[in-house]
């Protein structure tokens, strides 16, 4: 890592303040050009640690940048990951308070709930399928505490900024019909995503690394050198198979997963 412990803690504090005040900050990659992915995950961990000490609990994990197009856009050859906390969970069909966030977007994906622990370093797609109790349709709510484009330099944010910003994670809604992963070909599960009744995006879960369980295997292997694993009962968002849908106050978003039901939320 190129950043000192003091610098990492300072950025984590600024991200925490940005979230609380709904005021975006400059990118880590702009203020610390030498920062790398290890620095970014260290910042994320320091920020999550602040939240846990403040009383939050870990509900699960998320995987992002799972499509080739998104990886190419940020110049990375692998996904990224973030942490889901208990205050990020919203009910299906419920209200998401816009006043908590800065610039909201929504993605459709599949969420895995584990029956048994999942750990690396040699975790495979088949291990994920064996460990999952069930899979359920989900919406991921994204926010950004960091400017997408730096107002002074025009530099776009990088994967370092996204990872530090908890992989742009802000919330999760699960709904529809839970199902066992071995009962269906997950690659062919799709969603029709609408905002205020108008279809905005459609996609198939094969867009997630060719199989949504592949990203979860990647995550288990990434956590292994840190002495961590994915725990039973945790919800893991496997990665979006649509482009993010921009939303604002008054919008209702619904993802129709066909025989697997629908999941929705209203922003107010």
């Amino acid at each position: 890592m190129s950043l000192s412990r003091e610098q990492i803690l300072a950025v984590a504090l600024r991200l925490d303040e940005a979230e609380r005040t709904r005021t975006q900050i400059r990118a880590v990659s702009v203020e610390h050009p030498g920062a790398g992915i290890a620095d970014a995950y260290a910042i994320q961990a320091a920020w999550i640690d602040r939240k846990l000490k403040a009383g939050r609990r870990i509900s699960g994990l998320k995987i992002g940048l799972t499509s080739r197009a998104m990886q190419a856009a940020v110049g990375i050859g692998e996904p990224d990951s973030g942490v889901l906390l208990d205050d990020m969970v919203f009910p299906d069909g419920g209200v998401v308070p816009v006043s908590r966030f800065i610039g909201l977007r929504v993605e459709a994906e599949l969420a895995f709930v584990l029956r048994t622990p999942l750990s690396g370093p040699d975790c495979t797609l088949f291990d994920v399928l064996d460990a999952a109790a069930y899979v359920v349709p989900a919406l991921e709510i994204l926010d950004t505490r960091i400017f997408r484009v730096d107002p002074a330099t025009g530099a776009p944010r990088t994967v370092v900024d996204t990872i530090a910003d908890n992989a742009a994670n802000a919330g999760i809604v699960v709904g529809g019909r839970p199902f066992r992963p071995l009962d269906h070909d997950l690659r062919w599960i799709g969603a029709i995503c609408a905002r205020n009744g108008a279809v905005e995006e459609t996609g198939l879960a094969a867009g997630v690394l060719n199989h949504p369980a592949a990203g979860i295997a990647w995550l288990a292997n990434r956590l292994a050198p840190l002495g961590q694993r994915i725990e039973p009962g945790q919800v893991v968002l496997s990665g979006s198979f649509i482009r993010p849908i921009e939303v604002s106050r008054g919008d209702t978003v619904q993802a129709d997963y066909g025989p697997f039901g629908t999941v929705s939320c209203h922003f107010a």
Side-chain angles (χ1 to χ4, degrees):
M1 294 193 300
S2 67
L3 301 187
S4 68
R5 182 62 179 168
E6 291 74 18
Q7 289 172 316
I8 288 167
L9 293 175
V11 176
L13 175 60
R14 290 175 56 232
L15 283 165
D16 199 52
E17 291 175 345
E19 183 177 65
R20 286 189 292 102
T21 63
R22 299 180 66 218
T23 303
Q24 290 179 312
I25 62 173
R26 297 190 74 186
V28 179
S29 60
V30 172
E31 298 203 326
H32 300 284
I37 289 178
D39 298 290
Y41 277 115
I43 292 167
Q44 181 192 120
W47 186 18
I48 295 301
D49 186 58
R50 285 184 60 86
K51 290 174 174 283
L52 296 178
K53 289 177 179 176
R56 299 272 61 84
R57 292 179 294 105
I58 293 177
S59 294
L61 302 163
K62 69 149 287 186
I63 303 163
L65 298 179
T66 50
S67 73
R68 289 177 61 88
M70 289 300 295
Q71 290 177 9
V74 296
I76 189 174
E78 65 179 18
D80 68 358
S81 66
V83 180
L84 293 166
L85 300 174
D86 58 325
D87 64 341
M88 298 176 178
V89 180
F90 297 96
D92 183 22
V95 173
V96 177
V98 173
S99 59
R100 269 185 55 180
F101 306 103
I102 300 171
L104 289 168
R105 297 181 296 165
V106 176
E107 294 179 334
E109 45 201 280
L110 294 175
F112 287 64
V113 179
L114 293 191
R115 174 179 49 85
T116 59
L118 195 61
S119 59
D122 300 310
C123 182
T124 69
L125 179 152
F126 304 105
D127 295 324
V128 175
L129 297 177
D130 286 339
Y134 57 89
V135 179
V136 63
L139 294 173
E140 182 183 3
I141 301 169
L142 304 174
D143 198 10
T144 174
R145 280 65 57 165
I146 292 174
F147 286 114
R148 294 185 199 175
V149 177
D150 186 70
T153 66
R157 64 179 179 176
T158 70
V159 68
V160 168
D161 306 305
T162 304
I163 292 171
D165 195 13
N166 196 23
N169 188 24
I172 176 177
V173 182
V174 297
R177 180 171 69 84
F179 56 91
R180 298 187 185 280
L182 291 175
D183 291 345
H184 304 277
D185 184 349
L186 301 187
R187 298 175 66 250
W188 285 98
I189 293 177
I192 304 169
C193 303
R195 179 180 58 188
N196 303 329
V199 174
E200 296 279 352
E201 290 287 339
T202 63
L204 288 175
V208 178
L209 301 174
N210 197 40
H211 195 293
I216 297 176
W218 168 86
L219 178 59
N221 292 327
R222 190 192 76 77
L223 293 174
L226 305 175
Q228 300 173 15
R229 66 181 188 179
I230 307 174
E231 298 293 344
Q234 287 189 338
V235 178
V236 187
L237 287 172
S238 59
S240 177
F241 46 84
I242 66 166
R243 290 177 297 182
I245 299 171
E246 302 276 351
V247 295
S248 56
R249 189 185 304 274
D251 287 340
T252 296
V253 174
Q254 182 185 68
D256 182 349
Y257 283 77
F260 305 99
T262 64
V263 56
S264 67
C265 62
H266 177 71
F267 295 87

